Amino acid sequence: YCGNIAETIFSMIETVVKTGHEAGEHICIIIDSMDGLQLKEDAKKAFDGNPKVAGVPLITKLMFRKLALPISHFDAMLLVTGQYAAEIKISQYAPSAPKQGNSSGGSAIQHQSDYVFDYAQRNQDDYIKEDAEAPLDNIKNKALGVYANITIRKSASDTTNYKVKVPIKKGVVGNAVWKSREIVDLLIGWQYFDKSGTWLSWSQDVIDRALERGITLGGKMQGAKNVLEYLEQPENKDALDFFEKELQELIS
């Protein structure tokens, strides 16, 4: 749905989650973003003069008052994005209000949400390049992807304030999470290889576990790039699936 009148969107969500639940469906709604919403009365105000409009914290509070209970009761999921909000302080020594995130949603977004994620600004080191050691260049050394750096500010478990890096592949329409790249990063980090300079060879216990499932792993490979190319080959999909399942079990 394309629109930015808050009351219309909130009423539509309230209806959809109820009818979806009655139809046996689990509804997921994404609001992108809260900073683009406005109240119906504010939409009528002109640009001239000094129109006073409702800010994002007020609209967020109104949204949760109307939708928090139906979203929870009808087992739906609501994802809300918000812009970064800088805190203006007259004195550098003035105490800061406790915040779980840096979005402009105010206290309501922090209190009412089950999870709060902060997405960090993208830096040069976050780009996944053709040549990891060379500088980024749009012609000679293109970016294949980028790492999204996320801090979990609030969660239902002990992962609060935990930081994660998720590789995102460029040029992908839809789910762009670079799963095979993430698996290779974890395999190297969890020492699935014996290293000899830039050469990597599978540890013997890894080879044995794979053989138990009828999977034969290849020999030495030079660098993470070649490991990635090996696991992304169609004939090695069984190995990729094996490592994905094993890593999920280890992490969980």
Side-chain angles (χ1 to χ4, degrees):
Y1 176 79
C2 184
N4 69 339
I5 303 301
E7 294 95 330
T8 304
I9 292 174
F10 298 163
S11 296
M12 182 180 67
I13 293 173
E14 187 178 35
T15 301
V16 166
V17 295
K18 184 176 185 297
T19 56
H21 180 77
E22 291 171 348
E25 298 176 347
H26 296 282
I27 304 297
C28 175
I29 303 105
I30 303 173
I31 297 180
D32 184 15
S33 71
M34 289 300 298
D35 298 77
L37 296 183
Q38 60 179 331
L39 297 177
K40 191 181 298 182
E41 288 301 315
D42 292 336
K44 299 176 183 178
K45 297 176 182 178
F47 292 106
D48 56 344
N50 187 24
K52 186 177 181 180
V53 298
V56 179
L58 174 60
I59 295 177
T60 304
K61 182 174 287 189
L62 292 173
M63 178 189 71
F64 278 116
R65 281 180 180 172
K66 188 174 184 66
L67 297 178
L69 186 57
I71 289 288
S72 176
H73 180 73
F74 294 121
D75 201 18
M77 177 184 288
L78 176 63
L79 305 178
V80 177
T81 64
Q83 296 177 9
Y84 174 81
E87 183 179 2
I88 300 174
K89 296 173 67 174
I90 303 300
S91 171
Q92 61 176 325
Y93 303 107
S96 299
K99 292 183 67 178
Q100 290 168 323
N102 294 318
S103 74
S104 54
S107 299
I109 201 78
Q110 302 165 39
H111 177 71
Q112 296 278 10
S113 300
D114 293 319
Y115 292 86
V116 177
F117 303 130
D118 262 355
Y119 284 76
Q121 186 175 357
R122 185 176 300 170
N123 299 312
Q124 286 293 321
D125 291 342
D126 296 324
Y127 285 96
I128 302 170
K129 300 169 290 186
E130 292 175 334
D131 183 351
E133 304 301 324
L136 183 66
D137 188 285
N138 289 333
I139 298 175
K140 297 179 180 179
N141 191 24
K142 296 180 181 179
L144 303 176
V146 66
Y147 284 102
N149 293 294
I150 306 167
T151 302
I152 303 172
R153 294 296 185 188
K154 180 182 180 183
S155 73
S157 64
D158 291 334
T159 53
T160 299
N161 290 325
Y162 190 76
K163 296 184 178 181
V164 295
K165 294 181 70 172
V166 182
I168 306 298
K169 192 171 186 177
K170 291 193 68 176
V172 176
V173 178
N175 184 4
V177 174
W178 200 345
K179 184 174 67 173
S180 53
R181 178 85 195 200
E182 189 171 21
I183 290 172
V184 170
D185 289 345
L186 288 169
L187 291 176
I188 294 174
W190 287 52
Q191 299 180 351
Y192 270 60
F193 299 95
D194 294 325
K195 294 183 180 180
S196 178
T198 59
W199 289 91
L200 301 169
S201 56
W202 302 102
S203 299
Q204 188 58 49
D205 60 328
V206 175
I207 294 174
D208 294 341
R209 291 201 304 274
L211 280 173
E212 290 176 1
R213 291 162 177 79
I215 300 168
T216 303
L217 299 176
K220 288 184 178 181
M221 292 167 282
Q222 189 173 25
K225 181 181 178 181
N226 287 320
V227 177
L228 178 64
E229 290 177 355
Y230 169 77
L231 289 177
E232 286 187 336
Q233 292 174 5
E235 61 267 26
N236 295 323
K237 186 179 183 302
D238 288 345
L240 184 67
D241 293 341
F242 161 68
F243 287 126
E244 179 184 8
K245 184 177 180 181
E246 184 168 281
L247 288 167
Q248 285 179 339
E249 291 174 353
L250 285 170
I251 293 171
S252 62

